[in-house]
Structure formats: C-alpha cells, structure tokens
C-alpha cells in the first residue's frame, strides 16, 4: 500500500487530490462508488452498505447509503476543486455473498445497491466508465486521484485495473 493511500472504512467516504489515493476493503454486498475528475486530479470513494436512506430509521450516517453518500461525495470533491461536469464514475461490489432465494427484494441488497448507484449517476449526469459488480465474491479497490485508475483485487481472481 502506498504511503499516500487513505483507507475508506465501511459506511465511510473520502475525497483527495493527487497524488492521493483511496482504498476500501471487503466490498461484499456493499458498493464502492469511485468518482474522479481527471482535469482537477480529484478523486472520491464511498463504501455504501444500503441503497436508500429513506427506508431506514437510523439514517444519520450519510456515507452508509447510496442516495446520501453520492450527494456528500460530490460536494466534498467540489470543495477540492472538482467540477461535476468533469466527473466520471467507476463502481465495484454489490455481490450476492450468501446462497438463498433472492426473489425477496430485502435479500437482494447487492443488486439494489448497484441499481441505486447507476440510477443516481444518470440523474447527476456522471458517466459510468466501468463496473465490476455482482457475482458472489468480495472485492478490495484502490482509486488514484492522478489518473482515475481503479484497481480491483479479489481473492482467487487476481487484480483488474479499469
């Protein structure tokens, strides 16, 4: 891990300027939302657990939910000089970690996280450049502010850079 690598915990988000980099560990059903502005060399990463803050009573942690994390992440990046019109996105996670009947919508958390993320990116006119989502395995990701490189690591599946 690089010396300028900042760890983003579960239900957390952070934004950095180059040469900074961000990482989050253990994305299972959670979704990692990586936003970057290549012109400003600003990147932001959110590790979201749930798609929608409006369906949960204890929703004070904005980073926990896709809908509120996206708003905060964009605002934090803009404070560092990024412009929304220059932002691009990459996402990872949203896995189905346990085998069970996934017809119950409450049990499809990974899929719902991915769907909510894609919907909000469209709403904010932020193009989705890459996604590594679904399946049944966890991921660790790294996002580099200098070029928007998104490195995805999975046990037994190697390393993928998008």
């Amino acid at each position: 891990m690089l010396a300028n690598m900042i760890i983003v915990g579960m239900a957390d988000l952070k934004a950095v300027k180059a040469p900074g980099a961000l990482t989050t560990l253990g994305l299972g059903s959670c979704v990692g939302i990586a936003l970057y502005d290549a012109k400003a060399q600003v990147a932001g990463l959110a590790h979201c657990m749930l798609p929608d803050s409006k369906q949960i009573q204890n929703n004070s942690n904005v980073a926990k939910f896709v809908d509120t994390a996206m708003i905060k992440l964009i605002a934090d990046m803009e404070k560092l000089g990024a412009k929304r019109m220059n932002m691009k996105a990459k996402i990872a996670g949203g896995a189905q970690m346990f085998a069970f009947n996934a017809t119950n919508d409450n049990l499809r958390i990974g899929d719902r996280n991915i769907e909510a993320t894609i919907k909000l990116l469209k709403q904010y006119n932020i193009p989705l450049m890459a996604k590594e989502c679904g399946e049944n395995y966890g991921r660790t990701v790294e996002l580099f502010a200098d070029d928007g490189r998104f490195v995805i690591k999975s046990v037994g599946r190697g390393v993928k850079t998008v």
Side-chain angles (χ1 to χ4, degrees):
M1 194 176 303
L2 301 172
N4 57 350
M5 183 75 69
I6 297 169
I7 295 173
V8 177
M10 183 183 289
D12 189 15
L13 61 81
K14 298 219 170 49
V16 296
K17 287 185 72 67
L22 302 161
T23 186
T24 194
L25 314 171
L27 288 169
S29 62
C30 296
V31 65
I33 304 169
L35 301 180
Y36 66 98
D37 176 339
K39 289 182 183 177
Q41 291 192 320
V42 173
L45 182 63
H47 183 143
C48 303
M49 297 172 63
L50 296 168
D52 186 1
S53 63
K54 295 171 212 63
Q55 297 180 358
I56 305 292
Q57 285 184 329
N58 182 9
N59 62 3
S60 59
N61 178 356
V62 296
K64 187 175 185 178
F65 307 94
V66 171
D67 63 335
T68 50
M70 190 93 67
I71 294 166
K72 173 87 166 108
L73 190 60
I74 291 168
D76 287 358
M77 290 176 64
E78 288 174 337
K79 287 178 189 169
L80 294 175
K83 295 193 179 337
R84 187 182 313 184
M85 66 183 179
N86 296 333
M87 289 182 192
K88 296 188 179 351
K90 297 176 182 179
I91 63 174
Q96 181 69 43
M97 297 301 290
F98 305 102
F100 50 76
N101 184 350
T103 57
N104 180 339
D105 212 38
N106 291 330
L107 302 178
R108 297 180 44 254
I109 293 171
D111 289 339
R112 290 174 43 228
N113 282 336
I114 296 164
E115 291 162 7
T117 301
I118 292 170
K119 179 181 176 186
L120 282 172
L121 289 170
K122 286 180 183 173
Q123 181 180 324
Y124 293 125
N125 293 315
I126 299 173
L128 179 59
M129 306 307 292
K131 70 176 187 164
E132 170 70 24
C133 297
E135 303 288 335
N136 61 351
Y137 56 90
R139 296 162 174 92
T140 291
V141 298
E142 298 173 349
L143 175 64
F144 295 85
D146 57 354
D147 60 4
R149 189 170 14 112
F150 196 45
V151 179
I152 304 155
K153 302 174 183 180
S154 303
V155 174
R157 297 184 185 268
V159 178
K160 179 178 182 179
T161 301
V162 295

